[in-house]
């Protein structure tokens, strides 16, 4: 598992690790959807998105916020992600399935992706980030 | 108590300037001795961070339900000067005007012989949980009017009775609400969700007045022992979340442009009357109106259910009051002997205006506004009243709830939802949720005991108990 949940009294905090920045972002998205939905599979739904931000930290917030938006208005649950970052521009493909209350209820509703304590750091050979979600 | 904290009074503590670099004023929080153990260093650090923001008046404040959030701590209150101060989504949060309202009924506990049937009917009627959509058919124009006009719009559209609006803070209509800075994205999220409960700690609860502390004030609020009430706790749904996300992005770069140094990027802010600050305030106020309408539409559905099952009229189910927990407001306060317009941010805190304030509805003005404190699932809720002390000490603010002490994940691990549900049923509380997991994360043990929080604000004189409410039936997302 490339992400774990870090104890937090009120909200949900995840620590994500990956060998490169693209995978770090993809895993952060996977972590977010695993908090929101008890199950998610790639069943043929695909969306592409592009995000540009001022810096890498903002890019993480903006990327995850964009996925929250698409997921809610298109009623889609994503499970896997392909991310390509160039500087502070990001392109991604997200794969998943239509939202189905019978399959997906039981997770937590994420209201927002917080900047609090958010950073993207090198930890030895790996990239690491801790992200706090408002639930 | 944490090192470095200075005792001011029996239940009041000060975080001195210098606790974090750049503090402009000291911070203060209210905490009784039996809540001390629950105090997190991270939450005090977040409170001290608030004290670094420009134009802050007197103290950064926190109520006894203080815990770590993002930006402001939960339970945080801060007031900023109109001329030199800032406005910040970090002091409001993603769920703009998350709040709670109490609906009275003419029923007595003994009238509720079929609690299970009542709760199941409420669960079928009020859209609940992630992905639930409203039955309301809202046009783009309807949404626009709702954002600007709030509860009076809902009443006009048939979702309430005339008396409802005046029993909401701000009369259910925030001044300065502006639909223009509410993005298309926010509107798209808000369109199908007006009148939905949502998930997380949001709930609808059938309760009974269990104990009356102040019969005089209880009578003014129309409450008496043994009476059945209904409590509704929810916010501005995806629309509010998107307003926060959109404007945080703008304010994030504006903060740097205005040369404001902040210790946490979630405290992104702008001067009150800058274009970015005004746009955020207008959109936030519109989202606050959306939240009031959301609770109003749910109220309408609840009244329909009670009317159908018990043959009572809507007018026999008056709205006692509706309070906001997450909001920034333009208010006039006495500061150092002069009256001043301030932007008061309350994040997980409740306005508690005392007697005589013009903002308190005429019928409650002599005793102060009702303060509604929801308990956690299965524990007592309270109605208190605002005080003059709160006006002097906390810009008319008090606590908002019990405050978590255990993470949602830890709560789920400590006791399965099914067991929590059965334990509550054993105590006569029927819970209906979209899943057992969501019951587990809101288990009573995951929260501070609401009576200790209420005891602290009472001892500090910030608000005084009127009645206690016992849960009978709960629906949640």
């Amino acid at each position: 598992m490339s992400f774990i949940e870090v104890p937090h009294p009120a909200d949900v905090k995840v620590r994500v690790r990956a060998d490169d920045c693209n995978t770090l972002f993809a895993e952060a998205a996977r972590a977010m959807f695993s908090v929101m939905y008890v199950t998610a599979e790639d069943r043929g739904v695909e969306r592409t998105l592009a995000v540009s931000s001022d810096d890498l930290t903002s890019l993480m917030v903006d990327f995850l916020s964009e996925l929250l938006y698409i997921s809610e208005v298109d009623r889609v649950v994503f499970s896997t992600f392909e991310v390509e970052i160039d500087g502070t521009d990001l392109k991604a493909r997200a794969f998943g399935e239509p939202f189905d209350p019978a399959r997906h209820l039981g997770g937590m509703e994420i209201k927002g992706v917080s900047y609090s304590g958010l950073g993207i750091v090198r930890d030895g050979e790996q990239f690491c980030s801790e992200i706090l979600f408002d639930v | 108590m944490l090192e470095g904290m200075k005792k001011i009074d029996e239940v009041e503590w000060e975080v001195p300037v210098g606790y974090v670099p750049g503090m402009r004023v000291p911070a203060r929080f209210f905490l009784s001795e039996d809540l001390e153990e629950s105090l997190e260093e991270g939450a005090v650090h977040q409170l001290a961070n608030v004290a670094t923001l420009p134009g802050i008046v007197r103290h950064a404040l926190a109520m006894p339900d203080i815990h770590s959030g993002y930006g402001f701590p939960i339970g945080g209150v801060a007031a900023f000067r109109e001329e030199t101060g800032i406005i910040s989504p970090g002091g409001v949060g993603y769920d703009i005007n998350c709040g709670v309202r109490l609906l009275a009924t003419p029923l007595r506990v003994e009238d509720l012989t079929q609690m299970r049937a009542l709760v199941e009917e409420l669960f079928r009627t009020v859209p609940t949980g992630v992905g639930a959509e409203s039955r309301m058919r809202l046009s783009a124009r309807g949404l626009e009017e709702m954002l600007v006009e709030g509860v009076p719009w809902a009443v006009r559209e048939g979702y309430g009775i005339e008396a409802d609006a005046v029993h909401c803070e701000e009369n259910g209509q925030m001044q300065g609400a502006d639909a223009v800075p509410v993005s298309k994205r926010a509107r798209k999220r808000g369109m199908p969700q007006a009148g939905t409960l949502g998930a997380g700690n949001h709930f609808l609860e059938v309760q009974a007045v269990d104990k009356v502390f102040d019969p005089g004030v209880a009578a003014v609020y129309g409450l008496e022992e043994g009476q059945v009430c209904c409590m509704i706790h929810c916010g501005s749904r995806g629309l509010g979340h998107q307003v926060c996300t959109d404007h945080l992005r703008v304010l994030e770069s504006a903060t740097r442009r205005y040369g404001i140094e902040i210790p946490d990027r979630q405290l992104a802010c702008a001067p009150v009357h800058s274009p970015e600050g005004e746009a955020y305030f207008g959109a936030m106020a519109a989202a606050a109106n959306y939240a009031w309408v959301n609770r109003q539409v749910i109220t309408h559905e609840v009244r329909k259910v009670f009317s159908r099952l018990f043959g009572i009229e809507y007018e026999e189910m008056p709205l006692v009051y509706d309070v906001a927990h997450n909001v920034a407001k333009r208010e006039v306060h006495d500061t150092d002997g002069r009256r001043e317009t301030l932007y008061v941010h309350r994040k997980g805190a409740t306005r508690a205006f005392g007697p005589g304030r013009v903002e308190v509805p005429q019928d409650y003005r002599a005793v102060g506004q009702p303060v509604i404190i929801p308990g956690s699932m299965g524990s007592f809720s309270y109605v208190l009243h605002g005080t003059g002390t709160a006006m002097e000490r906390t810009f008319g603010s008090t606590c908002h709830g019990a405050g978590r002490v255990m993470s949602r994940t830890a709560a789920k691990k400590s006791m399965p939802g099914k067991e929590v549900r059965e334990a509550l049923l054993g105590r006569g509380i029927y819970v209906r949720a979209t899943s057992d997991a969501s019951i587990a994360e809101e288990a009573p043990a995951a929260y501070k005991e609401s009576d200790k929080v209420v005891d602290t604000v009472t001892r500090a004189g910030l608000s005084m108990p009127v009645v206690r409410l016992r849960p009978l039936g709960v629906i949640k997302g």
Side-chain angles (χ1 to χ4, degrees):
Chain A
M1 188 78 96
S2 56
F3 59 85
I4 54 162
E5 198 176 321
V6 184
H8 189 277
D11 293 308
V12 172
K13 194 177 214 179
V14 294
R15 183 181 299 138
V16 190
R17 286 180 181 281
D19 291 336
D20 60 74
C21 211
N22 290 341
T23 314
L24 184 80
F25 275 61
E27 287 301 297
R30 210 160 66 83
M32 183 172 79
F33 280 90
S34 79
V35 170
M36 292 168 71
Y37 301 105
V38 290
T39 184
E41 287 175 27
D42 178 1
R43 292 187 175 189
V45 172
E46 183 185 334
R47 294 285 184 281
T48 55
L49 58 147
V51 183
S52 296
S53 305
D54 291 344
D55 56 51
L56 216 50
T57 303
S58 298
L59 193 65
M60 180 68 93
V61 172
D62 294 341
F63 167 57
L64 296 176
S65 300
E66 182 75 16
L67 285 170
L68 278 182
Y69 172 76
I70 296 170
S71 166
E72 185 173 301
V73 298
D74 288 358
R75 297 176 74 79
V76 177
V77 175
F78 293 120
S79 58
T80 44
F81 306 85
E82 287 174 6
V83 177
E84 203 179 307
I85 297 169
D86 179 8
T88 54
D89 299 323
L90 174 149
K91 283 182 187 159
R93 292 166 74 195
F95 306 91
E97 59 181 311
F99 172 75
D100 172 6
R103 276 172 55 75
H104 295 120
L105 283 184
M108 293 178 216
E109 185 174 49
I110 290 182
K111 295 172 180 170
V113 184
S114 157
Y115 276 98
S116 260
L118 178 63
I120 292 159
V121 294
R122 286 297 289 267
D123 183 8
E125 292 298 300
Q126 287 195 307
F127 286 83
C128 180
S129 186
E130 281 190 358
I131 308 158
L132 180 69
F133 299 108
D134 180 3
V135 296
Chain B
M1 182 47 68
L2 297 174
E3 205 178 320
M5 304 297 106
K6 190 173 130 194
K7 194 160 189 169
I8 298 295
D9 212 337
E10 201 188 341
V11 291
E12 187 173 356
W13 297 83
E14 183 164 292
V15 187
V17 169
Y19 187 79
V20 303
M23 285 172 73
R24 294 165 194 260
V25 293
R28 286 198 178 178
F29 60 89
F30 295 85
L31 208 64
S32 62
E33 50 288 336
D34 47 2
L35 285 173
E36 275 183 31
E37 233 176 79
S38 67
L39 182 65
E40 308 151 71
E41 202 169 351
V44 175
H45 202 91
Q46 287 178 338
L47 179 64
N49 284 346
V50 175
T52 69
L53 296 173
I56 186 164
V57 182
R58 225 184 286 148
H59 306 111
L61 295 159
M63 302 299 127
D65 43 350
I66 179 172
H67 60 81
S68 289
Y70 49 86
F72 278 42
I74 312 296
V77 176
F80 300 90
R81 293 204 160 82
E82 184 163 30
E83 303 78 23
T84 55
I86 52 88
I87 183 104
S88 172
V92 175
Y94 286 92
D95 199 356
I96 296 163
N97 189 6
C98 175
V100 60
R101 60 168 50 188
L102 185 69
L103 205 59
T105 79
L107 302 172
R108 314 262 326 150
V109 185
E110 50 273 23
D111 296 326
L112 300 184
T113 51
Q114 311 249 338
M115 180 52 67
R116 190 189 186 107
L118 170 62
V119 171
E120 289 294 339
E121 186 61 14
L122 287 168
F123 188 76
R124 268 193 297 277
T125 308
V126 178
T128 302
V130 176
E133 294 201 332
S134 173
R135 289 179 198 95
M136 226 177 148
R137 289 294 153 250
L138 196 59
S139 66
R141 187 172 167 193
L143 179 69
E144 180 119 1
E145 288 172 359
M146 172 209 281
L147 291 173
V148 176
E149 296 175 47
V151 173
W153 173 86
V155 172
R156 209 171 63 230
E157 294 289 311
Y159 295 100
I161 53 179
E162 283 300 324
D164 289 342
V166 291
H167 277 187
C168 296
E169 271 184 49
E170 309 293 314
N171 298 314
Q173 181 180 22
M174 279 271 280
Q175 295 305 307
D178 185 0
V180 175
V182 176
S183 68
K184 275 189 188 151
R185 292 181 149 223
R187 291 169 198 232
K188 200 165 179 183
R189 289 178 74 172
M191 200 76 100
Q193 292 182 338
T196 62
L197 196 60
N201 61 351
H202 294 160
F203 66 76
L204 190 164
E205 204 163 90
V206 181
Q207 306 172 331
V209 176
D210 173 76
K211 197 171 183 180
V212 175
F213 301 99
D214 188 329
V217 179
V220 172
Y221 294 164
L223 297 170
E224 60 179 22
E225 195 165 336
Q227 184 181 5
V228 172
C229 294
C230 217
M231 189 173 275
I232 299 164
H233 179 203
C234 60
S236 50
R237 312 288 288 112
L239 182 136
H241 310 165
Q242 192 67 40
V243 164
C244 181
T245 301
D246 292 341
H247 287 267
L248 191 60
R249 195 170 199 262
V250 174
L251 289 165
E252 234 276 309
S253 50
T255 311
R256 288 192 292 273
R257 215 165 39 252
Y258 290 111
I260 303 169
E261 283 187 33
I262 48 171
D264 172 357
R265 289 176 76 171
Q266 194 71 28
L267 289 173
C269 57
V272 168
H273 288 304
S274 62
E276 297 87 348
E278 286 185 349
Y280 169 65
F281 188 81
M284 182 223 42
N289 286 342
Y290 181 94
W292 273 310
V293 172
N294 193 27
R295 294 196 283 277
Q296 184 64 38
V297 174
I298 292 172
T299 300
H300 182 64
E301 296 297 334
V302 169
R303 281 179 176 147
K304 280 206 295 203
V305 168
F306 273 81
S307 182
R308 202 160 56 231
L309 296 184
F310 300 99
I312 49 181
E313 301 292 327
Y314 293 0
E315 283 74 13
E316 293 179 278
M317 293 176 271
L319 175 61
V320 177
Y321 206 57
D322 180 310
V323 295
H325 286 162
N326 288 353
V327 83
K329 285 193 189 151
R330 187 173 190 268
E331 294 173 358
V332 176
H333 287 272
D334 290 329
T335 56
D336 309 320
R338 61 194 176 107
R339 289 181 76 69
E340 218 179 342
T341 299
L342 304 175
Y343 282 73
V344 183
H345 294 58
R346 297 189 182 90
K347 187 182 189 192
T350 315
R351 197 186 73 174
F353 277 8
R357 283 288 299 216
V358 69
E359 296 88 343
V360 180
Q362 187 82 46
D363 48 346
Y364 298 158
R365 199 165 295 161
V367 296
Q369 76 159 86
V371 172
I372 304 165
I373 309 294
S376 56
M377 186 175 61
S379 68
F380 294 117
S381 294
Y382 289 83
V383 176
L384 295 80
H385 70 83
T387 63
T389 304
M391 302 315 299
E392 289 161 21
R393 308 280 285 275
T394 57
F395 305 103
S397 310
T398 189
C399 60
H400 87 304
R404 285 195 84 96
V405 288
M406 192 193 285
S407 76
R408 288 163 212 259
T409 310
K412 277 183 189 174
K413 278 183 190 153
S414 76
M415 201 189 221
K418 188 167 171 280
E419 283 180 32
V420 176
R421 182 159 48 79
E422 284 166 359
L424 289 168
L425 192 58
R427 287 169 42 210
I429 305 164
Y430 182 74
V431 183
R432 182 67 163 92
T434 48
S435 77
D436 277 342
S438 65
I439 295 177
E441 70 186 64
E442 294 298 312
Y447 285 85
K448 291 182 193 179
E449 291 165 53
S450 50
D451 52 356
K452 288 181 182 167
V453 174
V454 168
D455 173 63
T456 308
V457 294
T458 305
R459 282 163 69 189
L462 301 179
S463 39
M464 305 307 276
V466 180
V467 302
R468 187 173 79 178
L469 298 143
R470 175 169 60 89
L472 302 169
V474 189
I475 77 164
K476 62 184 309 316

